[in-house]
Amino acid sequence: MQRVCFLLKVRQERLDEYRARHADVWPRMREALSAAGWHNYSLFLREDGLLVGYLETEDFDRARAAMDGTEVNARWQAEMAGFFEELDGAAPDAAMVPLTEVFHLP
């Protein structure tokens, strides 16, 4: 299983709304993530807007491609794009660059 961690930056003025949106993620989005191979997926948000994402998957590129092929993900990404800083026109899921793991204690 591949462990993936990534960072994004949520706009300070939209932190509360971002939290609210994730308190009620669409059921079809949750189902699509699971079907695409996103497991043990968590998001952690710091008060300054730093967002840390973590997931486990067999193949991150394949899991991301599977989500790219869903209509629900296209809608979700379009709605969420305005929450983030420095996407340079990319969708939030396309801007997720995995960090390099340097230590793991199983």
Side-chain angles (χ1 to χ4, degrees), residues 8 14 21 26 32 39 41 61 63 65 75-76 94 103:
L8 290 172
R14 300 204 64 190
R21 294 292 296 271
W26 306 332
H39 306 289
Y41 184 26
D61 291 333
R75 285 191 302 119
W76 181 266
F103 177 78

Side-chain angles (χ1 to χ4, degrees), residues 16-35:
D16 290 339
E17 186 182 357
Y18 186 84
R19 285 185 193 96
R21 294 292 296 271
H22 283 83
D24 190 27
V25 174
W26 306 332
R28 287 191 56 225
M29 184 63 173
R30 296 171 67 98
E31 292 165 7
L33 286 163
S34 293

Side-chain angles (χ1 to χ4, degrees), residues 20-105:
R21 294 292 296 271
H22 283 83
D24 190 27
V25 174
W26 306 332
R28 287 191 56 225
M29 184 63 173
R30 296 171 67 98
E31 292 165 7
L33 286 163
S34 293
W38 296 57
H39 306 289
N40 203 24
Y41 184 26
S42 298
L43 296 172
F44 302 89
L45 184 60
R46 200 166 67 181
E47 287 305 312
D48 66 356
L50 179 67
L51 181 75
V52 178
Y54 174 84
L55 67 118
E56 296 171 354
T57 186
E58 292 296 324
D59 181 321
F60 184 55
D61 291 333
R62 187 173 60 214
R64 194 183 328 200
M67 285 304 292
D68 284 345
T70 66
E71 177 273 335
V72 69
N73 186 60
R75 285 191 302 119
W76 181 266
Q77 297 306 320
E79 289 194 19
M80 297 308 294
F83 284 91
F84 296 99
E85 296 179 7
E86 303 175 11
L87 292 181
D88 298 325
D93 61 347
M96 296 183 322
V97 177
L99 299 174
T100 301
E101 184 176 310
V102 295
F103 177 78
H104 173 70
L105 178 67

